[in-house]
């Protein structure tokens, strides 16, 4: 497990998310109520870029076909059919630096 520095805390404002490439994988990091959460950013339906979707509270909506995912757990919240969960990653903050463990 390695800690990757991905952004400063002021780089991800409240209610926003960013997409980052970590170790060859696209990951989104979201600020939900002042806490940061990291989840794989490639929708496992048909590869939609979840980091380009819409974030409302802890739920991100895929921009391609509208599946909804909980960025805290990686679980599917709503879609026309069941999909497996997305991997989530531990996030730590040291000072004003956000790290994702992978
Ligand atoms: S690719 Fe995300 S819902 Fe289809």
């Amino acid at each position: 497990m390695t800690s990757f520095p991905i952004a400063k805390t002021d780089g991800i404002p409240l209610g926003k998310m960013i997409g980052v490439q970590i170790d060859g994988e696209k990951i989104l990091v979201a600020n939900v109520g002042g806490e940061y959460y990291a989840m794989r950013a490639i929708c496992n339906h048909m590869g939609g870029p979840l980091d380009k979707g819409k974030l409302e509270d802890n739920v991100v909506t895929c921009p391609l076909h509208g599946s909804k995912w909980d960025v805290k757990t990686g679980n599917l919240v709503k879609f026309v059919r069941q999909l497996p969960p997305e991997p989530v990653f531990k996030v730590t903050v040291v000072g004003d630096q956000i790290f994702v463990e992978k």
Side-chain angles (χ1 to χ4, degrees), residues 46-66:
M46 291 178 69
L50 294 172
D51 58 311
K52 304 284 189 248
K54 186 174 179 193
L55 180 67
E56 292 169 290
D57 296 322
N58 57 315
V59 176
V60 64
T61 301
C62 179
L64 288 196
H65 313 107

Side-chain angles (χ1 to χ4, degrees), residues 40 42-45 69 74-77 81-87:
R40 191 176 77 135
I42 307 298
C43 179
N44 65 41
H45 176 229
W69 302 87
N75 289 329
L76 184 70
V77 174
R81 66 182 175 85
Q82 194 56 40
L83 296 170
E86 291 285 350

Side-chain angles (χ1 to χ4, degrees), residues 28-40:
L28 68 81
V29 183
N31 180 342
V32 179
E35 300 287 329
Y36 299 91
Y37 298 92
M39 184 181 87
R40 191 176 77 135

